[in-house]
Amino acid sequence: MLKEMQQVLRLIMLMGKQRQKLGLRTGGGLLLLLWTDTEVSTQKLNCTVNCTVAAAGPWCAGIQMEALQPALVRLKESMCPCVWPCNEPDPEELSAFTDLYGSLRFLLSFQVKDTRHCTSEWQAHLEAFLRTFTLANAGIQIHLKLKINQEASLREFSVKVKRRVALADQLLLTLDVTCSAPPPCCVKKGCWCVRGHPAIGGRLPLSIPPQTMEQGLFGDLSVQVVTLLTPCLLPYPNVATELTHIQVLVYNPSNIPVTGPSGFFQKLPAVLDCQELGLYRVYCSSFKDLVYSGGTVYTVEKDSWDDPEQESSLPTVQQSLLLFFFLQHSDPFTSQLTDLMATEMLIELHLEDILNNNRQALVAAVQTELRNTLKSQNHRKKQQEKLHAAAEVILGSSMSIVSSSSNMDFRNACLSRMKVCVCQVHDTHELAASLRESLWRVTSWKFVPKAKCFSTKMEVHPENDEPTTAEI
Amino acid sequence: MESRAAHFCSEIDKLHAKLLINVGVTTDWQRAEKEINHQEILNRIESIILEIVTSLSKAEAPVLALPNRSSWANISFDSAIGLQMSSRQSVTTIRADCPSSVTKFAQILKILSVIYRLVQSNSYATKSVCLHRDIYYNNTKLFGSQKAVDSIVDDISCMLKVPRRSLHVLATSKGLISGDLCYMEEDGTRIDCHSSSTAVSVSSNISGIKNIVSSAKFVMIIEKDATFQRLLDDDFCTKISPCIIITGKGVPDVNSRLMVKRLWDELHIPIFALVDADPHGIEIMCIYKYGSVAMSFEAHSLTVPSVMWLGLLPSDLQRLRVPKDALIPLTKRDESKLCSLLERPYLTSQPEWQKEMKLMQQSKVKAEIQSLTAIAPDFLTQIYLPNKLRYGGWI
């Protein structure tokens, strides 16, 4: 079912991409209705799931189903286990959708017979896939309605914070840059950046291996890397950061996530130069809190010979890095929707070969992105060490004067000042401790507001997909 | 012999008499400056610490405000004193939460704590002092260089509005002195500068010097150590006795300037400057005479407005027909420096100096004192200086 759904999404996305080139809007809604037939629902062995995919909104404006017939025929051929047509969906379900996004521009229903689709595990996979899809297609609001075995559920995949990025060839993407990491306790209300700031990396041409060419894949293939580091600590320049996880997500040219494990990316850590990066090691792991499906997750460990005592006292925020690999393909001899779909399926089928054929360049690209990310991390660490060393001198010198002063008014004034924030400061020992804590907090969590972190223009309504970011 | 000596010094004596008249006008004003007592210094340091504690109690980053000692905008000129810091000066903010300034913040606090201890112990009649280099060597990682300590002590002196000598932190001296002069250091060491072959290092504790004894007729400030050594080698102080020669070895340190000032305050004898005929030499001379921007907050204890320019004058180069191959063309930097000097407020009251500098501008050449050896090897000490002093060749 997931594969079939991907195919249908591919068709819609490729249509949308063509229209994007015409400068048309890309926001809108996507409805996915999945329900089981009541007469067979009790017999799980013969579970039949009906699926309706509907699209509406600006991103679909101008699409006519009649014009899609050749592509739909091809689509049906590629989804042969499905049954065409299937039961029509409940008109009320569709009307609620059209009320939000306008009249339907695309509607397709099909049926799949497979017991796996009746399980909660499969539903979790589906949701993870849709979340990953939304990550790079944040302008499309997805409504997933499930009625499996008489259990109904409704999920809406909407994005709080979006950011439009322009890749090469004027390709525009709307990314989900929402950061849901909770702020540390030292952060005041309203002073936490809830978004990531994508950084566009290099565009890397990929050579197509000969065996893939023999299968019919020609033209120019490339990959554009985009990185997203979260949570954002730009407003807190003195806090140290620690990169702990990296996730690689690959998207095909129609911007649909490539699912399934990648041998290439799983072996990638072994060929990274960790020493150059100042890391102890990077290894493939199964990150328990995996939000996005597909992709490969790495755990990062830093050098173990750093001073553990100092490290434990220095505030450090852990960060995760998302590495987007956006595949792009162009072939002047491929313009028909059907050919585009076939090409994309070829790319997905031979992706491992393509990646391996460009191993050196891809490894270098990942190394570069990690180096750039860690440069900032290392700089922060040095700054924090500087602050820490100076703070000890400041505190020692101040306390030396307070302790040796014979001016009772001065000493009492110092003690009473700190009593305001700390209940009991009776002597210079306690004064030293409370001064240390205050100095640390004040210097480590120094807040420098950044316009790009707190701009009020980031929220975008679905029907308005004007550029979302104002870089002031 | 005596009449020859008297004749030799007649111009100098006339100048001396003229200076003594002016000294009567200014001395009372200078002496009016009060010494700050030790408790007041401690109070000022404590108020800085209390401000830091107050900031931290409000969860705000502590900040120190240092008067800006490098901006001409903070300077005013008084012909009786020289360059001094304006009462309304701009400040530089040193924050404790900024990595680029936190080290300086820590350095200031560290030195403040050292000063506090030293001043505190002095209140019990034991004069304790500390050298800049001691502070540096006790904390090399924090300060990085002795120069950093020097600069911060000056910043603290300016911030607290306390004379450097009251902070009990002494800079090491680089200057040398020789001639008709004896004095006693604070620790009781007796210093005799009469030796003809070796010079004495300028004391690190000028304010502690007492029992100054000298019959010198004049003091000569010499820009460069090489020239100073030359005069020592040629036994200048014996031949043109009695006199005192002193050098700061280029841009003078504070102790060399303090020493010149002390000699003026004690002896009220003419003070001449012997510098290269180039913009850098003129600027060095102006530092002794009018002070510097960086130390303008302590102008009263550092400047000697009565300093006279003895040589090497640009007009001397033409008058003496110094060979052309001994002259050096002015660089772009020299020309720029010369223009900058001519615009300085203190030169408006020195028309003779302006004339010499404009002559240098027009001729586009400069010369070191050593260029006089092109006329004759011992021309400087045998002919040039004796004639200059005999016939009043200073401006």
Side-chain angles (χ1 to χ4, degrees):
Chain A
M1 172 62 81
L2 190 57
K3 218 174 178 180
E4 286 74 24
M5 211 173 286
Q6 276 179 301
Q7 290 290 76
V8 175
L9 272 179
R10 196 195 309 280
L11 175 64
I12 303 172
M13 293 301 292
L14 283 171
M15 283 192 304
K17 200 172 168 183
Q18 283 184 324
R19 298 183 67 70
Q20 195 191 101
K21 284 182 183 164
L22 299 173
L24 296 170
R25 295 178 171 186
T26 56
L30 181 72
L31 174 67
L32 297 171
L33 285 171
L34 280 89
W35 74 98
T36 50
D37 288 333
T38 51
E39 59 267 30
V40 296
S41 63
T42 53
Q43 299 173 28
K44 280 198 178 168
L45 287 172
N46 294 319
C47 178
T48 304
V49 180
N50 302 290
C51 178
T52 293
V53 180
W59 69 311
C60 308
I63 291 175
Q64 291 171 1
M65 287 296 291
E66 296 76 26
L68 288 176
Q69 283 309 310
L72 284 171
V73 167
R74 193 64 178 270
L75 181 67
K76 285 171 187 175
E77 284 169 7
S78 68
M79 293 162 58
C80 58
C82 294
V83 174
W84 302 83
C86 73
N87 300 331
E88 289 300 313
D90 185 352
E92 276 193 22
E93 301 281 11
L94 292 178
S95 69
F97 181 70
T98 53
D99 285 345
L100 282 174
Y101 300 103
S103 50
L104 292 179
R105 297 294 174 185
F106 180 91
L107 180 66
L108 186 70
S109 298
F110 56 92
Q111 205 178 54
V112 175
K113 286 181 180 168
D114 196 327
T115 55
R116 292 174 301 167
H117 304 141
C118 303
T119 63
S120 55
E121 193 187 326
W122 178 85
Q123 288 176 28
H125 273 290
L126 174 63
E127 288 179 14
F129 167 77
L130 292 174
R131 268 198 299 275
T132 312
F133 175 83
T134 308
L135 198 57
N137 299 280
I140 302 165
Q141 199 148 349
I142 301 176
H143 300 259
L144 173 66
K145 291 187 180 179
L146 296 169
K147 271 185 194 167
I148 305 290
N149 298 333
Q150 296 187 350
E151 282 182 27
S153 66
L154 169 64
R155 285 295 314 276
E156 281 184 24
F157 296 84
S158 61
V159 172
K160 284 182 190 167
V161 188
K162 303 170 203 178
R163 169 75 188 271
R164 186 168 281 194
V165 294
L167 304 184
D169 289 344
Q170 297 169 340
L171 181 64
L172 293 174
L173 293 178
T174 308
L175 299 182
D176 176 4
V177 296
T178 315
C179 174
S180 53
C185 54
C186 301
V187 170
K188 287 183 192 166
K189 196 178 171 187
C191 296
W192 183 246
C193 179
V194 295
R195 62 195 68 166
H197 307 284
I200 300 176
R203 187 184 181 186
L204 197 62
L206 299 174
S207 65
I208 301 171
Q211 62 269 31
T212 310
M213 276 197 225
E214 285 169 15
Q215 297 298 314
L217 181 62
F218 303 104
D220 296 321
L221 188 62
S222 62
V223 67
Q224 176 99 57
V225 183
V226 176
T227 58
L228 186 66
L229 185 66
T230 53
C232 166
L233 269 299
L234 289 175
Y236 296 96
N238 292 346
V239 170
T241 57
E242 185 189 341
L243 182 65
T244 54
H245 290 92
I246 304 167
Q247 186 169 11
V248 174
L249 295 169
V250 183
Y251 289 77
N252 57 32
S254 62
N255 229 26
I256 291 177
V258 174
T259 56
S262 164
F264 173 83
F265 282 112
Q266 281 175 347
K267 291 175 200 158
L268 183 65
V271 293
L272 287 176
D273 185 350
C274 289
Q275 195 177 10
E276 192 233 345
L277 297 170
L279 301 174
Y280 180 54
R281 68 172 179 147
V282 176
Y283 60 91
C284 221
S285 63
S286 56
F287 186 29
K288 290 269 190 298
D289 294 334
L290 182 63
V291 176
Y292 309 116
S293 80
T296 315
V297 180
Y298 308 118
T299 299
V300 178
E301 286 183 8
K302 58 184 170 108
D303 285 338
S304 55
W305 51 72
D306 289 339
D307 180 4
E309 202 179 294
Q310 187 184 28
E311 292 232 333
S312 63
S313 66
L314 301 176
T316 305
V317 174
Q318 293 183 342
Q319 289 183 305
S320 297
L321 182 71
L322 264 177
L323 275 175
F324 292 93
F325 281 76
F326 291 109
L327 292 166
Q328 290 163 29
H329 179 261
S330 67
D331 184 346
F333 299 104
T334 307
S335 57
Q336 297 297 317
L337 207 50
T338 49
D339 295 333
L340 290 170
M341 287 189 64
T343 301
E344 213 172 90
M345 286 169 67
L346 264 178
I347 291 172
E348 275 191 29
L349 189 64
H350 296 276
L351 187 59
E352 278 300 302
D353 290 335
I354 293 168
L355 293 175
N356 282 314
N357 198 47
N358 295 273
R359 170 177 293 276
Q360 207 169 349
L362 285 166
V363 169
V366 172
Q367 187 88 15
T368 300
E369 296 306 328
L370 286 180
R371 192 188 309 120
N372 290 341
T373 303
L374 291 166
K375 199 171 159 185
S376 163
Q377 178 173 301
N378 293 337
H379 177 72
R380 279 172 177 268
K381 190 177 171 205
K382 283 197 172 79
Q383 301 285 62
Q384 201 183 56
E385 283 166 359
K386 204 175 183 183
L387 287 165
H388 186 263
E392 290 304 316
V393 175
I394 293 167
L395 289 166
S397 304
S398 302
M399 286 313 303
S400 160
I401 291 169
V402 174
S403 303
S404 58
S405 171
S406 57
N407 181 345
M408 288 312 294
D409 290 340
F410 165 64
R411 287 167 63 91
N412 289 337
C414 289
L415 291 173
S416 67
R417 292 283 195 284
M418 291 311 286
K419 224 185 257 184
V420 174
C421 60
V422 178
C423 292
Q424 296 181 12
V425 178
H426 296 305
D427 59 23
T428 51
H429 284 296
E430 289 175 17
L431 176 64
S434 61
L435 284 177
R436 172 173 276 105
E437 198 206 322
S438 183
L439 183 60
W440 249 129
R441 188 173 300 182
V442 155
T443 55
S444 298
W445 290 101
K446 174 184 175 180
F447 175 66
V448 180
K450 300 280 182 192
K452 70 176 180 179
C453 293
F454 301 101
S455 165
T456 55
K457 290 185 183 178
M458 292 305 293
E459 293 283 351
V460 175
H461 298 290
E463 58 272 18
N464 174 17
D465 54 356
E466 290 298 317
T468 58
T469 305
E471 286 283 339
I472 300 169
Chain B
M1 183 72 172
E2 208 174 285
S3 65
R4 187 179 168 208
H7 173 71
F8 179 83
C9 293
S10 63
E11 290 297 322
I12 295 171
D13 290 338
K14 280 182 203 167
L15 177 60
H16 186 196
K18 196 172 157 187
L19 289 171
L20 281 175
I21 297 167
N22 290 334
V23 160
V25 171
T26 57
T27 302
D28 291 337
W29 186 90
Q30 287 172 341
R31 281 179 187 154
E33 188 190 52
K34 270 180 8 185
E35 280 288 334
I36 298 181
N37 71 48
H38 299 116
Q39 190 54 52
E40 181 56 29
I41 297 172
L42 297 179
N43 289 344
R44 290 182 191 186
I45 294 174
E46 285 166 359
S47 71
I48 290 172
I49 300 302
L50 185 57
E51 267 181 45
I52 291 171
V53 172
T54 305
S55 294
L56 289 175
S57 71
K58 293 192 255 180
E60 291 170 0
V63 165
L64 293 171
L66 296 183
N68 191 336
R69 294 192 300 116
S70 59
S71 169
W72 277 96
N74 284 350
I75 300 297
S76 63
F77 174 68
D78 182 325
S79 59
I81 300 162
L83 298 175
Q84 47 183 355
M85 189 168 264
S86 308
S87 52
R88 294 173 72 181
Q89 73 269 123
S90 62
V91 295
T92 302
T93 304
I94 310 291
R95 296 184 64 92
D97 63 350
C98 184
S100 61
S101 65
V102 72
T103 302
K104 181 149 187 184
F105 195 108
Q107 289 170 339
I108 292 170
L109 266 281
K110 181 68 183 178
I111 295 181
L112 271 177
S113 69
V114 170
I115 290 169
Y116 190 88
R117 268 203 322 275
L118 291 169
V119 171
Q120 203 178 38
S121 60
N122 184 68
S123 62
Y124 299 97
T126 51
K127 197 93 172 167
S128 51
V129 293
C130 179
L131 291 171
H132 284 191
R133 64 162 184 256
D134 297 332
I135 297 176
Y136 165 63
Y137 282 116
N138 282 337
N139 305 278
T140 53
K141 206 173 166 192
L142 174 64
F143 292 107
S145 70
Q146 194 175 316
K147 202 173 167 190
V149 176
D150 295 342
S151 175
I152 288 169
V153 172
D154 290 337
D155 282 329
I156 289 173
S157 172
C158 188
M159 180 171 64
L160 297 177
K161 294 185 174 42
V162 167
R164 279 177 61 101
R165 59 186 173 278
S166 303
L167 299 178
H168 293 249
V169 180
L170 307 175
T172 45
S173 301
K174 65 171 180 162
L176 297 170
I177 192 164
S178 183
D180 191 326
L181 177 68
C182 291
Y183 58 84
M184 192 176 290
E185 294 268 25
E186 189 165 33
D187 62 1
T189 308
R190 191 172 149 71
I191 305 294
D192 185 348
C193 302
H194 282 85
S195 172
S196 60
S197 56
T198 55
V200 171
S201 286
V202 170
S203 173
S204 296
N205 185 6
I206 305 296
S207 61
I209 289 175
K210 36 190 189 269
N211 301 344
I212 292 176
V213 175
S214 174
S215 54
K217 292 278 187 181
F218 63 88
V219 175
M220 190 184 305
I221 300 167
I222 296 156
E223 178 195 343
K224 296 192 303 208
D225 184 36
T227 311
F228 183 88
Q229 295 297 333
R230 182 60 201 267
L231 262 57
L232 276 186
D233 292 343
D234 289 353
D235 209 10
F236 178 82
C237 293
T238 309
K239 288 175 186 160
I240 314 290
S241 185
C243 70
I244 298 169
I245 57 173
I246 183 170
T247 181
K249 295 185 184 175
V251 176
D253 60 341
V254 168
N255 286 332
S256 301
R257 294 172 62 187
L258 282 169
M259 190 66 192
V260 170
K261 173 71 175 173
R262 185 67 190 269
L263 289 173
W264 164 253
D265 285 345
E266 294 281 341
L267 304 175
H268 302 306
I269 52 177
I271 300 187
F272 301 117
L274 181 64
V275 299
D276 290 343
D278 62 24
H280 184 57
I282 296 169
E283 187 168 42
I284 285 173
M285 179 172 57
C286 291
I287 290 173
Y288 284 103
K289 186 176 173 76
Y290 292 119
S292 61
V293 172
M295 295 300 297
S296 58
F297 64 96
E298 253 204 272
H300 297 296
S301 52
L302 289 171
T303 61
V304 183
S306 60
V307 166
M308 314 289 284
W309 188 1
L310 184 68
L312 182 61
L313 302 176
S315 57
D316 289 340
L317 302 177
Q318 291 178 352
R319 183 172 57 81
L320 299 171
R321 293 183 195 164
V322 172
K324 284 199 174 134
D325 54 4
L327 305 178
I328 307 164
L330 289 179
T331 62
K332 286 261 181 251
R333 201 170 161 182
D334 288 330
E335 287 177 358
S336 171
K337 170 76 78 182
L338 205 47
C339 288
S340 162
L341 282 168
L342 280 164
E343 285 167 13
R344 294 210 187 149
Y346 41 65
L347 280 177
T348 51
S349 55
Q350 295 288 338
E352 295 287 332
W353 289 29
Q354 282 182 327
K355 199 171 152 187
E356 291 290 333
M357 290 163 72
K358 280 176 182 164
L359 184 60
M360 187 189 295
Q361 244 180 356
Q362 284 158 14
S363 67
K364 293 189 189 302
V365 290
K366 61 183 178 182
E368 294 179 338
I369 293 166
Q370 280 70 23
S371 64
L372 296 178
T373 57
I375 302 173
D378 54 0
F379 188 81
L380 174 69
T381 52
Q382 295 297 323
I383 309 290
Y384 179 77
L385 286 176
N387 281 347
K388 276 274 182 168
L389 292 165
R390 177 180 287 122
Y391 298 113
W394 52 76
I395 54 172

